[in-house]
Amino acid sequence: VYVSPERLCQRRFREVVRAAVAAGIVTRIALDEAHTFVQWDDFRPSMSRIEQFLAELRRDHGLPVTALTATANRTV
């Protein structure tokens, strides 16, 4: 699944993803706009929920997560 942080913030979408991962249908998540995790931690508090969700999927199912961005600077 290739997804934006905003979409992954939606509870219903996370439920669908969780079920698909558990069923073996989704085998990787590619997260777009990865720079937002580094740059906008305080601007987007929902990012911490996404991080917890992805950590749970990695822990419980060994799900690989790839983070992508086209706008990373040296800090990111």
Side-chain angles (χ1 to χ4, degrees), residues 1-9 13 17 29-33:
V1 172
Y2 183 65
V3 64
S4 71
E6 292 81 7
R7 181 75 166 139
L8 205 50
C9 284
F13 185 75
V17 168
I29 291 181
L31 185 64
D32 194 13
E33 305 294 337

Side-chain angles (χ1 to χ4, degrees), residues 6-51:
E6 292 81 7
R7 181 75 166 139
L8 205 50
C9 284
Q10 298 172 354
R11 185 180 347 173
R12 177 70 183 124
F13 185 75
R14 285 195 312 268
E15 291 171 5
V16 169
V17 168
R18 183 179 281 116
V21 170
I25 297 167
V26 171
T27 58
R28 175 180 299 271
I29 291 181
L31 185 64
D32 194 13
E33 305 294 337
H35 64 279
T36 60
F37 285 95
V38 176
Q39 292 178 322
W40 295 334
D41 212 29
D42 57 338
F43 178 69
R44 290 184 174 179
S46 57
M47 292 300 168
S48 63
R49 286 194 305 268
I50 293 173
E51 289 178 284

Side-chain angles (χ1 to χ4, degrees), residues 47-72:
M47 292 300 168
S48 63
R49 286 194 305 268
I50 293 173
E51 289 178 284
Q52 292 170 356
F53 173 68
L54 294 175
E56 180 183 304
L57 293 179
R58 287 192 302 267
R59 181 193 69 226
D60 296 347
H61 303 285
L63 183 75
V65 175
T66 302
L68 306 169
T69 187
T71 55

